[in-house]
Amino acid sequence: MAVRELSGVTKHHGARSVLRGVDLAVQDGESVGILGSNGSGKSTLLRILAGVSRPSGGTVTGRPRTGYVPDRFPARQRMSARAYLRHLGRIGGLSTAEASARADRWLERFALAGGPGTPLRELSKGNAQKVGLAQALLCEPELLVLDEPWSGLDPDAHTVLTEVIREVSAAGAVVVFTDHRPEVVHALATRSHRLADGRLELLDPARRAGSPITTVGARTGGGRVRAGILAARGDPAGLRGARGGFAGAGGQPMIPLVRYQLAVLGHSQRYLPPVLLYVGLLAIFYSNNDGPALPGFAVTAAGLLILAGWLTIALVDVEDAVQRTVTQTHVGSTTRMLLGTVLAVLLCSVGLALLTVAWAEISYGLGYSPSDLGVRLLAHVVCASFGIAVALPCSGLVVRRIGYTVIAAAALFAIALLAKWVPLAFPLLQALSSGAVSAALLIRSALVAAGILIASTLLVTTWYVRRS
């Protein structure tokens, strides 16, 4: 049975046909090499095979646990290589200790310059590629997809990668890789193809070369080697079974993904401008008790709506398109990725809402009952939900240019805050300003916010998937 199968797959970019009727089925233990010139569509084919791009036509079947290395692994984040891999390992179901141990072993094997504690943004192209290889191998993929994986690597890392490809296929997984050098493809692949003019052609059977590989482990009923490896170097990278499996297929909890999103946002420091502005707003309205706090609650709720939208756009755009596809292979789907973003921003919003209510109560000493404070807290969170829902369609997933993002977000924020004919935040803000927030209005606003947030997430997901 094929681990992954493409049948009659086509892919169009505008009027240009990149893939035309591609058929490809990969089996357990195979190492499949794909040759092709620059611009032939190799990367597009591998993105579809890895499940991070949708074909324009044809069918794709099979949902293996997948590791994917793009032709250019981006390294823009401030977090260290170890921290990055640890987050991805937890998303894939590993414990923190196991994820850290595997990350260190892989980075040691590939000889990452500077060690695991080196920030990603300080890595050279070749060392960034080593981190890219490590993340793909971290959770023992059943399908390993490598796009020009030797690009930028030093000679020693070339040798290590060759060994790893042989070890992974000998362990029963599938390796699909591209290269423009026929001698490399024929030396490693059990089956070779050439992609030209959008069509995949099977070449003569390739010979399998290299040093003997010793496999350790029991075979399952389907003939696959279950979790055990390896080769001439013993167990150099810890490709033992990943506890809990793939995030997408195994239904892993969202907590590791939310933690990763918060870490990405924190390291990017893109949260600082909106949070500092919001704290300044609190200081203006709640610095003394000379006036009533009631209008201030309406202003800070409106401010939190804008802040939540700002954080949403910042968090979605902090990863570029290539790194987003890498994260997607660990998460399992675009919907789960967006849900992680929404939950991370909501968590930040809840913290700021708590700060707002506590600051107002301490400054004014109004003696609100717990229920009154809860109503005002929930009202701020509801407004934040409106902000997230409005911001998602303005993010880089839909709007490619930052200038258009700013214009679209400003327009939608204005509608959400001020338009009386749209039942979004305006009725709730008006009630907060007057100090008469009824339970019915709060419940109605919460339901509307939840519905719009769900609809926005699904629409953005559909748009992004169709365009990818």
Side-chain angles (χ1 to χ4, degrees), residues 158-181:
H158 269 250
T159 303
V160 171
L161 178 56
T162 300
E163 294 173 354
V164 168
I165 289 175
R166 290 172 180 156
E167 293 163 2
V168 171
S169 60
V174 182
V175 181
V176 182
F177 66 94
T178 63
D179 202 273
H180 61 277
R181 299 167 297 176

Side-chain angles (χ1 to χ4, degrees), residues 170-171 213-219 225-231 234-235:
I213 304 290
T214 303
T215 61
V216 181
R219 290 187 176 272
V225 176
R226 187 198 319 127
I229 314 229
L230 285 165
D235 182 17

Side-chain angles (χ1 to χ4, degrees), residues 182-247:
E183 65 275 11
V184 172
V185 171
H186 292 301
L188 286 174
T190 57
R191 177 154 55 98
S192 303
H193 296 264
R194 181 181 298 279
L195 186 63
D197 297 324
R199 303 186 186 279
L200 197 64
E201 172 192 2
L202 178 64
L203 302 179
D204 292 336
R207 62 185 181 84
R208 186 147 182 206
S211 59
I213 304 290
T214 303
T215 61
V216 181
R219 290 187 176 272
T220 63
R224 178 178 299 175
V225 176
R226 187 198 319 127
I229 314 229
L230 285 165
R233 297 192 182 183
D235 182 17
L239 279 172
R240 300 180 183 88
R243 191 180 68 178
F246 185 48

